[in-house]
Amino acid sequence: MNSFEPHPWNTGFTWSEHSGPFRRVTEAQAAAFDRDGFFVLEDAVDAETLAALDAEIEPFDREVLDFLHTQPEGRFSIAGVDTVSIAVHLVARSRVLRDFCGSSLFADIGRDLIGPSGRLYWEQAVYKQPHGAEPVLWHQDNGYTYVEPQAYVTCWVAITDATEDNGCVWVLPGAHHQGTLAHRDTPIGFECCHDPEDAVPVPVRAGSVVVFSSLTPHATGRNRTAGVRKAYIVQLAPDGAAALRGDPALGPAHARELQDDPLRQFLLGT
Ligand SMILES: O=C(O)CCC(=O)C(=O)O
């Protein structure tokens, strides 16, 4: 049996169920989101848009890899030339990515799963390098930066096919109901559980989007193939969401930072 400890700042969390009418998400997908904490929007991004994303992200990823090569052992935080490259806040530097995140796809998902005033909270490209050294450990997105409200939405856009071999997402259905869990800090990232029971792989075709909650424990395996596994991650939060600052081991948060940077955290559909 999986057993979890709550994050010290998570007291009295309750999951809010979603009800229609929905714009993009089906009733069944919304029910899966409430029950399991995830679902897949199959083939949500067309081939032309995917090719544009791929081409646009390429120089940013190259920049990250060049930076990683200057670091001791090619590593910086959880990223490394031999494992994963992560390029953040690209909408501030790319009209193509700004338009993609401002598109009706995310406006609709936001409307369906967050409500009328959703905002882009974060976006990043995560590229798993060929024959990668490490997995991304089991974590909740709200375990890295504690945001309130705790439940926001992650859209994991597959730019290449994602398979069990190259490091697709795995999720732990149902655990999102407990709110944010305690995470331990390891040399290769935060971890909320290890090798949990009932984990589910979510392989997807390029162009499909794995939609999951910021509270859904997830992980990705090592890339055991010769190709790069490419994903662009787009996270949507309610307007007014704030990141809490402090060390949960030392006590309550000492600051709340509103997530409304106009350069990269714009209202959805704008
Ligand atoms: O795409 C991946 O390999 C992992 C990404 C992830 O879990 C995250 O960005 O929180």
Side-chain angles (χ1 to χ4, degrees):
M1 252 261 294
N2 297 315
S3 93
F4 302 112
E5 207 186 303
H7 187 288
W9 297 344
N10 167 19
T11 52
F13 174 81
T14 50
W15 176 261
S16 299
E17 304 263 312
H18 297 83
S19 55
F22 299 112
R23 286 188 180 171
R24 174 88 47 162
V25 166
T26 64
E27 295 275 348
Q29 287 168 331
F33 190 68
D34 287 336
R35 184 186 61 240
D36 302 328
F38 81 102
F39 63 91
V40 177
L41 275 180
E42 304 277 0
D43 305 320
V45 182
D46 63 55
E48 194 186 333
T49 306
L50 269 190
L53 293 180
D54 194 6
E56 193 71 9
I57 292 170
E58 205 273 331
F60 296 121
D61 185 61
R62 171 53 39 212
E63 199 176 89
V64 170
L65 287 169
D66 288 348
F67 165 76
L68 289 171
H69 276 290
T70 69
Q71 297 302 297
E73 297 177 29
R75 291 297 179 103
F76 183 81
S77 182
I78 72 165
V81 287
D82 59 346
T83 177
V84 67
S85 47
I86 303 177
V88 303
H89 304 334
L90 303 183
V91 291
R93 301 168 66 197
S94 159
R95 188 73 226 177
V96 169
L97 297 170
R98 165 78 177 71
D99 288 349
F100 180 65
C101 292
S103 69
S104 61
L105 172 63
F106 300 107
D108 288 355
I109 297 172
R111 173 86 208 192
D112 289 347
L113 300 180
I114 288 171
S117 52
R119 198 180 264 282
L120 179 68
Y121 158 59
W122 190 276
E123 39 73 49
Q124 60 186 21
V126 182
Y127 282 19
K128 273 191 182 274
Q129 299 305 312
H131 306 297
E134 285 147 9
V136 171
L137 302 177
W138 283 94
H139 68 281
Q140 298 165 306
D141 289 335
N142 216 47
Y144 269 88
T145 297
Y146 193 102
V147 170
E148 273 181 355
Q150 296 177 45
Y152 61 87
V153 175
T154 294
C155 303
W156 193 96
V157 180
I159 297 178
T160 52
D161 291 348
T163 64
E164 285 189 47
D165 254 9
N166 73 3
C168 70
V169 174
W170 286 69
V171 296
L172 195 55
H176 59 297
H177 292 127
Q178 301 181 44
T180 311
L181 303 172
H183 286 63
R184 81 189 173 94
D185 197 3
T186 85
I188 59 165
F190 281 24
E191 187 178 56
C192 63
C193 54
H194 193 79
D195 202 10
E197 280 173 30
D198 304 321
V200 176
V202 193
V204 286
R205 274 188 302 277
S208 294
V209 181
V210 188
V211 180
F212 55 91
S213 168
S214 56
L215 301 174
T216 303
H218 61 284
T220 61
R222 278 193 314 114
N223 180 358
R224 294 191 220 89
T225 73
V228 181
R229 193 237 59 197
K230 303 178 180 180
Y232 186 49
I233 295 172
V234 179
Q235 296 180 318
L236 319 174
D239 187 30
L244 270 52
R245 303 297 181 202
D247 182 344
L250 299 180
H254 59 69
R256 292 174 66 86
E257 282 173 14
L258 202 58
Q259 297 300 296
D260 64 351
D261 178 345
L263 285 180
R264 61 178 186 83
Q265 294 178 313
F266 46 85
L267 289 168
L268 298 173
T270 60

